[in-house]
Amino acid sequence: MTEAHIVCANCRAVNRLPEARLADGPKCGRCGKPLLTGAPVAADTALFDRLVMSGSQPVLVDFWASWCGPCKIMAPAFAAAAAELEPLVRLAKVDTEQAPDLAARYAIRSIPTLILFAGGKEVARRSGALDRATIIGWTRSMLGQRPQ
Ligand code: ZN
């Protein structure tokens, strides 16, 4: 049975559990909070590094800022995509004003920018506001899955 490494967005503990249990609403072994909520995680640099480097799931990150109109337009679509893509993919939001170090690390030039990480590495990126179906379809195709 394949073991998943799921990072807790609350306490950053890495939880190891069988992949078959991911659909059962697993809770964090350290803090007791639900591990997968079907909603994007607001990530600071420390949580981002943990999710991307220590989690076994691919991570789709929305780089955004509060002053950015297209980011606000895309936010509900991104949230809806999280409900659909979890537990296969983890969705996170990085506020580029709160975490300018991450924006610099990944050379974010325009927002919103989506970057898909797998195995700790960037596998794809795309800029501009997208709708829910496009976010889901693009993510699945970049991960080598057929659209459903
Ligand atoms: Zn926890």
Side-chain angles (χ1 to χ4, degrees):
M1 187 173 277
T2 317
E3 190 183 57
H5 297 177
I6 307 296
V7 176
C8 174
N10 183 54
C11 74
R12 297 190 206 132
V14 179
N15 287 254
R16 291 156 198 273
L17 63 168
E19 275 194 345
R21 277 201 50 217
L22 293 185
D24 302 340
K27 294 202 165 76
C28 177
R30 185 194 284 172
C31 74
K33 290 266 166 57
L35 286 173
L36 301 168
T37 58
V41 166
D44 59 11
T45 302
L47 180 57
F48 171 91
D49 283 337
R50 200 79 162 157
L51 285 167
V52 169
M53 305 299 176
S54 302
S56 59
Q57 299 152 297
V59 185
L60 178 66
V61 181
D62 172 18
F63 289 87
W64 70 286
S66 58
W67 49 262
C68 158
C71 298
K72 284 183 188 153
I73 291 169
M74 188 172 79
F78 192 73
E84 179 110 6
L85 287 168
E86 277 195 355
L88 174 72
V89 183
R90 204 76 187 268
L91 274 70
K93 292 173 76 81
V94 168
D95 183 334
T96 53
E97 290 186 300
Q98 303 293 323
D101 52 327
L102 286 177
R105 193 197 297 175
Y106 294 102
I108 304 297
R109 289 186 196 87
S110 68
I111 50 173
T113 288
L114 295 182
I115 301 185
L116 180 63
F117 297 89
K121 294 198 178 77
E122 175 177 342
V123 295
R125 78 163 65 191
R126 187 164 174 169
S127 296
L130 307 175
D131 63 26
R132 173 186 158 281
T134 306
I135 295 169
I136 293 167
W138 177 76
T139 302
R140 287 194 169 135
S141 70
M142 289 301 121
L143 291 173
Q145 284 206 343
R146 267 177 218 208
Q148 288 176 355

